[in-house]
Amino acid sequence: MRKSKPFSIILSALSLLLFTHCSSNDDTVEEQKPPTAAKDSWIIYNSTAGWGGNIYSFSELPQGELSLADKKPFYQIAYSAGGKAFGENIYRLGGAASSEEGFSKLTADNTGNISSKGFIATQNNGFEPNYLVVSDSEGYYWDGSRGMLKIQTFNPGTMQRTGEIDLSSLAQTIDPSVLEPGETAYQAAGQLILIKRDDKLYLDLQIGKKGSNWQIKPVVKEVAVAVYNLTSKKVENITKYPNTTNLGLFTDHVLWSIDEVTKDIYMVAASDMKAQEAAYSSKILRIKNGQTTFDSTFQIDMKDYVQPAEFNRIFAYNNKIYTTIPSTGASYYAGGHGVSYRNDIWFWNEIDVQTKKAVKLDIPVDNFYNYQNPFLYKNRIYFMSNNKVDNFSGLSSYDPVSKNTKVEFKLKGSGRLMGVNIITKK
């Protein structure tokens, strides 16, 4: 009997060891299961009458001629000017109805159905809100009705406002004597430029006067950016650049870009689009990586290419700027609102930030009905164009290494191309 007891103990130990070994193998097999591949969907906006249109989802990038006439399902919107993609969602100004002021969150399921996932209402009395999505839980927006010198915070996951950043310390006294009849004093922070890099927010600072023109006239002919430190919760710096005005243009197409290779920030000073004074011409400015002040040694000046005109799109990548330069001087106001400005005159160019040399790309000319900036996807840069001369509304791509260009698709009988986003479904 004494011999059987040790044997039973050994048997039990072997059984336990075998069980543990098998369990370990099971866990290993489970961990080695390949993750579910993310799937990219292409979101396409068009307009068929005026500025209204639809949003469509495609499981892959369309090629060749593309008719949207029978494409279903689609999401109808009163104002179609593209949007911004983040993760598996898109964000855009307004709601489905033209009367909804604010910005919305949409997504597309695997069958192409597009649905709303939230809306934040604003009351800006004619001014569009500005917004920035940083992560699934971090976002910022400007709502003038809550304070012209305040930035609201929100959770993009829930689309709920979470608080605000008070920048009232940036307020300045505007001498009433500088105001002409019909003008009022105007101050705002972050209305047109709202950028996060590292732990800092970069916000345009407007100190000026507002009349019938939608652009604000600055008291001093310069642009200013406030730098807010999110860690210390204090304004760290105000940086200014002389002899140009009006950072940004409209909030449905941002006029700034971060070069993801160098981490330098580039932003457009559009200038006064009515006066178009050569002395204060439109410029592309830079705040270098690790800096909080404008690079005083750098500017790309539109009048070095053509005058009068302004930069109205921007994408920065690997020390190159991608933007449109018109073939002739153009005025947003000439001949009525936007008539000559929307002619087939806007050519896509690549500008070297070192030499300032602009190279015209082999991409169809554009007429500025589409506001969206170029974007990078899998080592190619994508550009949208609409024109009458070639009856073209479509998407082109460019390889910045090989310099190869390609027309990806052209809308056929489907109005104008107003935007393209890419969302990634998990």
Side-chain angles (χ1 to χ4, degrees):
M1 296 296 293
R2 290 180 181 178
K3 292 182 180 180
S4 64
K5 189 172 182 180
F7 178 77
S8 63
I9 292 174
I10 292 171
L11 184 61
S12 298
L14 287 173
S15 300
L16 180 61
L17 183 61
L18 181 61
F19 175 81
T20 303
H21 181 68
C22 291
S23 299
S24 177
N25 283 347
D26 289 344
D27 290 342
T28 302
V29 171
E30 188 69 29
E31 290 173 358
Q32 290 178 345
K33 285 183 178 180
T36 303
K39 179 68 174 176
D40 293 335
S41 295
W42 290 75
I43 307 298
I44 294 175
Y45 305 71
N46 79 330
S47 66
T48 52
W51 294 98
N54 304 309
I55 310 176
Y56 302 84
S57 175
F58 292 81
S59 59
E60 57 186 7
L61 172 61
Q63 297 290 314
E65 289 192 336
L66 175 63
S67 174
L68 300 173
D70 299 320
K71 167 67 176 172
K72 294 180 181 179
F74 59 82
Y75 188 88
Q76 189 171 18
I77 48 178
Y79 178 61
S80 177
K84 306 171 190 177
F86 186 88
E88 60 182 40
N89 303 300
I90 54 177
Y91 299 82
R92 57 175 301 275
L93 284 182
S98 59
S99 60
E100 293 181 302
E101 183 180 299
F103 59 100
S104 53
K105 174 183 177 181
L106 306 173
T107 195
D109 63 21
N110 293 329
T111 63
N113 283 292
I114 298 171
S115 59
S116 173
K117 294 187 69 178
F119 179 76
I120 290 183
T122 60
Q123 297 178 358
N124 285 318
N125 299 318
F127 286 106
E128 300 163 336
N130 191 10
Y131 65 94
L132 174 69
V133 178
V134 177
S135 71
D136 291 332
S137 59
E138 182 184 6
Y140 305 90
Y141 70 101
W142 180 86
D143 180 353
S145 66
R146 291 183 177 272
M148 302 288 282
L149 293 171
K150 293 182 178 180
I151 296 297
Q152 309 304 309
T153 61
F154 77 104
N155 184 321
T158 62
M159 286 296 281
Q160 296 294 317
R161 176 179 174 270
T162 56
E164 67 182 19
I165 298 170
D166 191 343
L167 302 169
S168 299
S169 62
L170 299 176
Q172 297 183 25
T173 301
I174 298 177
D175 187 345
S177 66
V178 305
L179 302 177
E180 299 177 9
E183 293 181 334
T184 56
Y186 191 93
Q187 301 188 54
Q191 181 185 350
L192 294 170
I193 301 289
L194 185 52
I195 306 168
K196 183 184 178 186
R197 185 178 65 180
D198 301 325
D199 66 336
K200 298 174 177 61
L201 288 180
Y202 296 78
L203 315 104
D204 69 304
L205 182 59
Q206 298 182 76
I207 306 293
K209 48 189 181 176
K210 183 182 183 305
S212 58
N213 182 356
W214 49 266
Q215 278 192 313
I216 305 305
K217 293 182 181 179
V219 174
V220 180
K221 295 295 183 69
E222 64 185 11
V223 294
V225 165
V227 182
Y228 180 81
N229 190 305
L230 291 163
T231 302
S232 66
K233 302 189 185 305
K234 293 180 180 179
V235 175
E236 185 174 307
N237 185 37
I238 296 176
T239 181
K240 300 177 180 180
Y241 198 96
N243 300 324
T244 191
T245 65
N246 300 97
L247 280 176
L249 187 55
F250 306 122
T251 54
D252 50 12
H253 75 296
V254 298
L255 284 184
W256 60 267
S257 180
I258 298 179
D259 186 327
E260 290 301 326
V261 176
T262 67
K263 304 302 179 183
D264 297 335
I265 297 173
Y266 294 88
M267 58 187 78
V268 169
S271 77
D272 187 320
M273 294 176 71
K274 188 169 186 178
Q276 293 187 307
E277 304 163 280
Y280 308 105
S281 54
S282 177
K283 297 176 176 66
I284 296 175
L285 309 176
R286 177 172 69 186
I287 299 179
K288 296 192 73 174
N289 185 24
Q291 302 296 315
T292 59
T293 58
F294 282 118
D295 181 353
S296 61
T297 67
F298 176 87
Q299 66 177 28
I300 295 176
D301 196 329
M302 176 59 90
K303 73 171 180 287
D304 291 338
Y305 309 104
V306 64
Q307 176 66 25
E310 50 277 326
F311 297 106
N312 56 33
R313 264 79 61 97
I314 184 170
F315 175 68
Y317 181 71
N318 199 19
N319 287 310
K320 299 290 194 301
I321 298 291
Y322 298 91
T323 187
T324 47
I325 297 176
S327 55
T328 183
S331 171
Y332 197 82
Y333 289 87
H337 182 77
V339 175
S340 65
Y341 204 82
R342 300 196 193 280
N343 286 349
D344 299 337
I345 59 174
W346 300 94
F347 288 88
W348 289 106
N349 279 258
E350 177 186 74
I351 303 176
D352 187 291
V353 302
Q354 304 297 331
T355 66
K356 312 300 191 300
K357 181 182 178 181
V359 176
K360 187 186 295 185
L361 300 178
D362 184 23
I363 292 173
V365 63
D366 182 64
N367 55 26
F368 195 66
Y369 278 96
N370 179 315
Y371 297 158
Q372 189 175 339
N373 293 316
F375 62 91
L376 180 73
Y377 178 74
K378 292 186 176 179
N379 300 318
R380 293 187 73 87
I381 301 172
Y382 289 79
F383 303 81
M384 280 149 275
S385 303
N386 294 283
N387 64 56
K388 292 181 180 178
V389 65
D390 299 318
N391 190 29
F392 182 90
S393 292
L395 182 73
S396 302
S397 67
Y398 168 70
D399 184 331
V401 177
S402 70
K403 309 300 182 183
N404 165 265
T405 59
K406 174 188 176 184
V407 172
E408 300 290 349
F409 69 80
K410 172 185 176 181
L411 294 184
K412 180 181 179 181
S414 302
R416 296 190 187 97
L417 178 65
M418 296 301 290
V420 175
N421 295 142
I422 301 170
I423 61 174
T424 301
K425 304 295 290 184
K426 297 178 181 179

